[in-house]
Amino acid sequence: MAAGAVLRAAQASLLPRTGDEPPVTIPRDPAREAAERELSKPQYHQDDPSLLQRALDRFWDWVGDLFSAASQATPGGGLGLLVIVVAVILLVVALWWRLGPPQRTPATSAALFDDRPRSAAEHRAAAEAHAAQGHWNQAVQERMRAIVRALEERALLDPRPGRTADEAAAEAGRTLPAHTSQLHAAAREFDDVTYGGRTTDQPAYLRLTELDHDLDRTKPTLAETTATSAAHSNGPAV
């Protein structure tokens, strides 16, 4: 029996009777209580929404009320609110694309090389292998190591364990002053991908590759080279 039918039956019991019917003996309050008991039975609530569904309905009603209030307070109404939301989303996407995911800046720079020494040719071969697979972070790291190792092999840098990329760039810039800015940029790129958690790309690798080739063809400044050699000969290695 439907809930409405039960309620109507309870109400009908309270209507005046004709002379052919027995007199009404159920007062109004007991009749109402009987109807409520009948309507509380499980068969009348089988199609009721679940607790989760009711909670979701209330949540979406709240979201709808929130947007309705915001659209009324925004110039242009709902369209104006939509334009503002789209503009904010585009701004966030642009910043994310330009700056990359937020990363924690390292407190100090670690050593440029690992424990196993390799030649400049080995570092170049490793860089090319990584580049062929599109692993640009590793390719940039190996190309920077190749640059520094090549300068050490040419005696333009004193071989020194534990040297950082920034230190190598600063020292090499004294004997190769025309490439000082490129060396510092390469060191920053190395630090960003190695210790800063940033990702790099093919153009960055190609810049380091071009710098590697340019340095290989560049003659050092002799005065600086002589002074550096004299300083190393007169004192202990750093």
Side-chain angles (χ1 to χ4, degrees), residues 88-108:
V88 171
I89 292 175
L90 291 177
L91 178 61
V92 171
V93 171
L95 290 175
W96 188 277
W97 176 81
R98 179 67 181 84
L99 301 177
Q103 299 290 339
R104 184 167 53 88
T105 303
T108 58

Side-chain angles (χ1 to χ4, degrees), residues 2 9 42 87 107 113 149-150 155 199:
F113 295 99
R149 187 67 78 200
T199 57

Side-chain angles (χ1 to χ4, degrees), residues 37-127:
R37 285 195 300 272
E38 180 68 22
L39 291 175
S40 66
K41 292 180 180 180
Q43 59 264 32
Y44 298 114
H45 302 279
Q46 293 177 354
D47 298 327
D48 289 354
S50 65
L51 180 61
L52 176 61
Q53 184 62 47
R54 291 198 299 271
L56 289 175
D57 290 342
R58 291 198 174 196
F59 171 75
W60 289 120
D61 289 342
W62 175 79
V63 171
D65 293 342
L66 181 65
F67 274 94
S68 177
S71 63
Q72 292 175 5
T74 304
L79 180 59
L81 178 63
L82 178 62
V83 171
I84 293 175
V85 171
V86 171
V88 171
I89 292 175
L90 291 177
L91 178 61
V92 171
V93 171
L95 290 175
W96 188 277
W97 176 81
R98 179 67 181 84
L99 301 177
Q103 299 290 339
R104 184 167 53 88
T105 303
T108 58
S109 296
L112 179 64
F113 295 99
D114 53 22
D115 294 335
R116 187 176 74 84
R118 289 184 289 176
S119 66
E122 288 177 308
H123 285 296
R124 288 180 180 128

Side-chain angles (χ1 to χ4, degrees), residues 133-148:
Q133 299 178 35
H135 301 161
W136 302 116
N137 278 24
Q138 295 88 334
V140 163
Q141 291 170 327
E142 290 299 327
R143 182 60 68 169
M144 183 62 189
R145 291 170 178 140
I147 290 172
V148 176

